[in-house]
């Protein structure tokens, strides 16, 4: 079974600065997807960014980018020019490609990192 | 409205009672999921469905029952609620295997 580890329960950053959230995962598969989700106080789960394992290029969405190191099984999220609206819980998630049954087809989440933005 | 909706948003029930959480999606996504979110555990998969009439257990299925007779609906039933089932429950869907999931607003369930 796959596991996802977020080693930083909480991070704090000054507004307008850059912060990096860490995520490592364990899998024996060679092809898969990785995601970062944001959960603000409203509780809604919002997809921030997606990375396909077979793509070497790191995904970027505006101020959000990832550093995907497949050999090291690392998938960190960098937030540039942090804004007050970025304050939230951030979850790293893994999903296998294809249907295999047996409980292996959902997203596997890390425990989350609580990001605080200091004004 | 298009999307994925859960009902109710909040529910308080007593220990031993049966309770059903509803989930409805309008995208005709093949996959649907139920997660529970607890402090210190992140989101854990309870059950999922790859298509109508196909369901599989996730990481924490004990005490829960699901059904999927129609593609758009995926209800989650707690047959005899226990205090340990107090949690926030999320329903999600995805069009195919491997892609991201789209989440409902969540249901906060309290078992007293």
């Amino acid at each position: 079974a796959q596991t996802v580890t977020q080693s930083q329960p909480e991070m704090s950053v000054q507004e307008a600065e850059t912060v990096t959230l860490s995520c490592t995962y364990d899998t024996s598969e060679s092809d898969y997807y990785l995601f970062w989700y944001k959960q603000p106080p409203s509780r809604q789960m919002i997809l921030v960014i997606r990375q396909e394992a077979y793509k070497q290029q790191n995904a970027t969405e505006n101020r959000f980018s990832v550093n995907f190191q497949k050999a090291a099984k690392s998938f960190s999220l960098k937030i540039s020019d942090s804004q007050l609206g970025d304050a939230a819980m951030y979850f790293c998630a893994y999903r296998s490609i294809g249907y295999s049954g047996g409980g292996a087809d959902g997203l596997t989440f890390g425990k989350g990192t609580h990001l605080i933005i200091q004004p | 409205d298009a999307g994925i909706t859960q009902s109710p948003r909040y529910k308080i029930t007593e220990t031993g009672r049966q309770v059903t959480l509803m989930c409805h999606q309008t995208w005709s996504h093949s996959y649907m999921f139920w997660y529970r979110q607890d402090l210190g555990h992140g989101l854990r998969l309870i059950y999922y469905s790859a298509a109508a009439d196909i369901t599989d257990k996730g990481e924490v299925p004990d005490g829960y029952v699901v059904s999927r007779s129609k593609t758009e609906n995926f209800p989650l039933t707690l047959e005899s609620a226990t205090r340990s089932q107090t949690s926030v429950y999320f329903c999600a869907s995805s069009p195919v295997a491997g892609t991201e999931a789209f989440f409902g607003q969540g249901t906060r369930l309290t078992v007293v």
Side-chain angles (χ1 to χ4, degrees):
Chain A
Q2 295 82 18
T3 58
V4 177
T5 302
Q6 293 179 250
S7 58
Q8 306 151 317
E10 188 172 278
M11 293 281 286
S12 181
V13 64
Q14 291 289 129
E15 193 176 1
E17 293 189 347
T18 296
V19 63
T20 298
L21 307 184
S22 301
C23 173
T24 58
Y25 58 94
D26 188 26
T27 184
S28 58
E29 299 172 334
S30 59
D31 205 6
Y32 45 86
Y33 278 83
L34 295 164
F35 309 95
W36 279 98
Y37 279 86
K38 170 185 178 181
Q39 186 181 42
S42 67
R43 205 167 68 198
Q44 182 68 46
M45 293 289 288
I46 302 165
L47 178 69
V48 174
I49 201 163
R50 166 184 51 192
Q51 175 77 42
E52 296 149 46
Y54 66 87
K55 290 187 177 180
Q56 293 186 339
Q57 187 172 6
N58 289 324
T60 299
E61 289 286 344
N62 301 314
R63 298 182 295 107
F64 298 87
S65 61
V66 298
N67 184 3
F68 173 48
Q69 301 289 328
K70 190 173 184 180
K73 296 180 182 175
S74 171
F75 183 59
S76 61
L77 175 69
K78 185 171 83 171
I79 305 174
S80 303
D81 185 25
S82 298
Q83 300 176 359
L84 294 177
D86 295 334
M89 283 292 292
Y90 286 82
F91 292 97
C92 179
Y94 172 104
R95 189 172 184 191
S96 301
I97 300 247
Y99 175 73
S100 59
D105 301 295
L107 280 77
T108 301
F109 286 87
K111 294 183 178 181
T113 296
H114 181 212
L115 179 63
I116 298 167
I117 310 295
Q118 305 278 5
Chain B
D1 288 351
I4 183 164
T5 55
Q6 295 182 232
S7 61
R9 293 292 307 278
Y10 300 89
K11 176 75 177 177
I12 300 174
T13 192
E14 294 179 339
T15 300
R17 288 193 178 270
Q18 182 180 83
V19 60
T20 296
L21 309 183
M22 304 301 293
C23 180
H24 176 79
Q25 53 109 351
T26 60
W27 292 307
S28 297
H29 284 173
S30 294
Y31 281 82
M32 295 189 76
F33 309 90
W34 276 105
Y35 286 89
R36 60 177 291 173
Q37 182 178 20
D38 305 288
L39 274 175
H41 289 280
L43 283 83
R44 293 180 291 174
L45 183 64
I46 303 171
Y47 268 98
Y48 70 99
S49 169
D53 298 321
I54 300 175
T55 60
D56 278 299
K57 294 180 179 179
E59 181 185 353
V60 289
D62 293 344
Y64 304 95
V65 175
V66 294
S67 63
R68 194 163 177 213
S69 57
K70 292 184 177 181
T71 299
E72 61 267 29
N73 296 322
F74 191 42
L76 176 74
T77 298
L78 288 67
E79 293 189 301
S80 178
T82 65
R83 289 198 179 92
S84 65
Q85 292 177 311
T86 292
S87 187
V88 177
Y89 290 85
F90 284 96
C91 180
S93 71
S94 72
V96 295
T99 60
E100 66 266 29
F102 300 86
F103 284 79
Q105 324 94 301
T107 295
R108 181 177 292 280
L109 176 68
T110 302
V111 183
V112 298

